[in-house]
Amino acid sequence: MINIDELKKKIIYRSNYRGTKEMDNLLGAFTKKYINNLNENDLLDLEKLLNIDDTNLYNFYNGFKTDFEFENNNINFLYKNFDYTQK
């Protein structure tokens, strides 16, 4: 059995501390917007997304070529279509 609260805490931490400020901001904002509306499977998919390196995440988000095959799931769709503009 998965502890949803612990999983959410882990996801929030990992989305905000990526290594580059740009990806911290992008993934942090994405996670903040969606985390409380995700079901268990979506949370697990988000955790998988956060295991992907920043370069491939950045390229996927911006529609560039990636070295990684992204699954066709709700999280990747939401991430790819997330409207993020830095303030």
Side-chain angles (χ1 to χ4, degrees), residues 5-78:
D5 290 331
E6 287 299 315
L7 180 58
K8 284 182 179 182
K9 286 178 188 176
K10 180 180 174 183
I11 287 169
I12 290 167
Y13 180 85
R14 295 206 52 228
S15 66
N16 284 291
Y17 298 97
R18 299 293 301 183
T20 63
K21 187 165 182 62
E22 184 174 64
M23 290 307 290
D24 291 350
N25 292 339
L26 171 61
L27 290 169
F30 174 76
T31 298
K32 183 178 181 180
K33 178 174 181 174
Y34 290 110
I35 196 155
N36 290 320
N37 299 318
L38 300 176
N39 63 35
E40 185 176 314
N41 287 333
D42 286 341
L43 288 169
L44 292 170
D45 285 339
L46 178 52
E47 183 181 35
K48 281 195 276 184
L49 181 76
L50 293 173
N51 286 329
I52 300 169
D53 66 276
D54 285 357
T55 301
N56 279 308
L57 286 175
Y58 178 85
N59 288 347
F60 178 69
Y61 179 76
N62 288 292
F64 303 138
K65 187 177 186 299
T66 65
D67 298 329
F68 185 84
E69 186 68 35
F70 285 81
E71 294 178 21
N72 186 10
N73 63 40
N74 185 48
I75 291 300
N76 291 345
F77 176 81
L78 290 173

